[in-house]
Structures are given as structure tokens and as C-alpha cells.
């Protein structure tokens, strides 16, 4: 899992390096809100299909 987190950090850094500070802040806040909600869903859901829906 540590490697996956590092890959995500690298991806974010690569794709945000040229952003304006305000845009970067907004992106990171939105990302934080999304990750928190996904963690809450995973923590309180008994159905893995709900947690990890398959897009078709």
C-alpha cells in the first residue's frame, strides 16, 4: 500500500505542478473531501459492491 500511496503522490505532483495556488488548494480540498467520504463508505458498508462499484 505504501507504494500505491507514493505513486498517487507522484501523479498529483506531476499533474499539478503548473497550477495556480488557488486552483491547487481547491483541488486538494476536493480530493480530501472525496477520499474521506470514500473511507467512510468503506468503513460503514457491508456490501463491497457498494464500496467499489463497477462502472459499465
Amino acid at each position: 500500500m505504501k507504494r500505491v500511496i507514493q505513486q498517487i503522490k507522484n501523479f498529483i505532483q506531476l499533474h499539478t505542478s503548473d497550477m495556480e495556488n488557488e486552483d491547487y488548494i481547491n483541488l486538494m480540498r476536493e480530493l480530501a473531501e472525496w477520499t474521506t467520504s470514500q473511507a467512510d463508505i468503506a468503513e460503514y458498508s457491508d456490501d463491497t459492491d457498494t464500496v467499489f462499484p463497477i462502472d459499465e
Side-chain angles (χ1 to χ4, degrees), residues 19-35:
M19 287 181 121
E20 296 292 328
N21 194 43
E22 185 176 346
D23 291 337
Y24 177 78
I25 292 167
N26 291 333
L27 174 80
M28 295 308 287
R29 288 194 173 136
E30 185 174 343
L31 183 59
E33 289 174 15
W34 178 78
T35 57

Side-chain angles (χ1 to χ4, degrees), residues 1-16 28 31:
M1 181 163 55
K2 192 173 184 177
R3 184 176 180 180
V4 171
I5 292 171
Q6 189 59 47
Q7 289 174 333
I8 292 168
K9 288 178 182 180
N10 291 342
F11 182 89
I12 291 170
Q13 185 176 19
L14 176 67
H15 294 281
T16 61
M28 295 308 287
L31 183 59

